[in-house]
Amino acid sequence: MAQIDSMVLGPVMTNCYLLWHHNHVLIVDPATKSGQIKQLIEMREGIVDGIFLTHGHFDHIGGVDAYARLYQCPVYINDPDLGMLSDPYRNASGLGEEVIVKSEAIGLQPGKNQINEFTFTLIDAPGHTEGSCLMIWGDAMICGDVLFQGSIGRTDLIGGSNTKMYQTLEMVKTLDPDLTIYPGHGPKTTLAQELKHNPFLI
């Protein structure tokens, strides 16, 4: 049985997701170390197959090392954003408390990917960062900061690009409108709703 749990973590109110396939779980974008994540996994006797990152900004990666150590699990990110994990300047944490991921991360490639029990499609979606990506898992699209309810991710940080974001949004318009969107911040939505009401997709 597939299920997605969500929780809001960290100072920038980042959505962290737990993707479940029976008792196997994938942790997506752990912004900080949180007892809520540990409690949910213990309650369901979860087996953590890995940590998946939608992109490399500090507010999505702050809890990576804590959970990689706790569950002895691998870390995955779209290949172009690998270098952001160890670079506070590139991951936008350089002006505050620096965030550096020390755990070794595995770079993923676009297309069909498998992390133990989880099979999904990874789609390149640059614009917010060079390695921003969409994870299509069943009828769910985990999109990080590419797309929000009624808005899109900013493009003015290191690795951002207005041109590439425009190209990404044109690609998003071609995807299945029945997809449920799980963004990096704010409420979930559907692609059908965004195609009707999001000014950046109209």
Side-chain angles (χ1 to χ4, degrees):
M1 185 182 74
Q3 178 181 331
I4 299 178
D5 290 327
S6 65
M7 61 207 75
V8 178
L9 302 176
V12 195
M13 306 291 283
T14 303
N15 291 330
C16 171
Y17 298 108
L18 300 183
L19 276 53
W20 292 92
H21 181 72
H22 301 294
N23 66 325
H24 286 259
V25 59
L26 202 60
I27 303 173
V28 178
D29 287 355
T32 61
K33 182 180 179 181
S34 167
Q36 190 178 0
I37 294 177
K38 186 170 181 285
Q39 182 180 15
L40 280 170
I41 292 173
E42 287 180 352
M43 184 174 64
R44 296 187 58 178
E45 298 182 350
I47 299 168
V48 180
D49 287 350
I51 298 168
F52 176 86
L53 303 173
T54 60
H55 64 291
H57 278 147
F58 76 97
D59 55 319
H60 293 254
I61 66 175
V64 167
D65 284 340
Y67 292 109
R69 285 193 303 267
L70 179 62
Y71 297 113
Q72 293 296 296
C73 64
V75 179
Y76 301 90
I77 191 170
N78 194 22
D79 195 71
D81 273 8
L82 262 174
M84 295 178 69
L85 301 181
S86 58
D87 187 337
Y89 175 69
R90 290 179 61 196
N91 69 36
S93 69
L95 296 179
E97 183 178 348
E98 292 188 348
V99 176
I100 295 174
V101 172
K102 297 179 181 179
S103 305
E104 183 177 355
I106 299 167
L108 296 175
Q109 300 297 321
K112 186 176 180 179
N113 284 267
Q114 185 162 0
I115 299 175
N116 289 353
E117 296 294 314
F118 295 86
T119 302
F120 58 92
T121 299
L122 184 78
I123 301 175
D124 276 331
H128 180 62
T129 67
E130 185 62 32
S132 286
C133 64
L134 310 177
M135 171 199 266
I136 309 294
W137 183 57
D139 62 357
M141 182 169 84
I142 293 90
C143 65
D145 291 0
V146 175
L147 186 65
F148 305 129
Q149 185 185 65
S151 188
I152 60 172
R154 57 191 294 182
T155 59
D156 60 333
L157 299 173
I158 299 298
S161 165
N162 284 324
T163 300
K164 290 182 178 180
M165 180 62 87
Y166 173 81
Q167 294 168 345
T168 287
L169 296 176
E170 289 300 300
M171 175 273 296
V172 167
K173 292 178 184 179
T174 70
L175 300 177
D176 183 353
D178 291 330
L179 286 167
T180 299
I181 296 172
Y182 293 84
H185 306 272
K188 71 179 181 180
T189 181
T190 66
L191 184 52
Q193 286 297 307
E194 296 313 300
L195 290 171
K196 288 180 182 178
H197 302 296
N198 191 320
F200 296 95
L201 291 178
I202 296 173

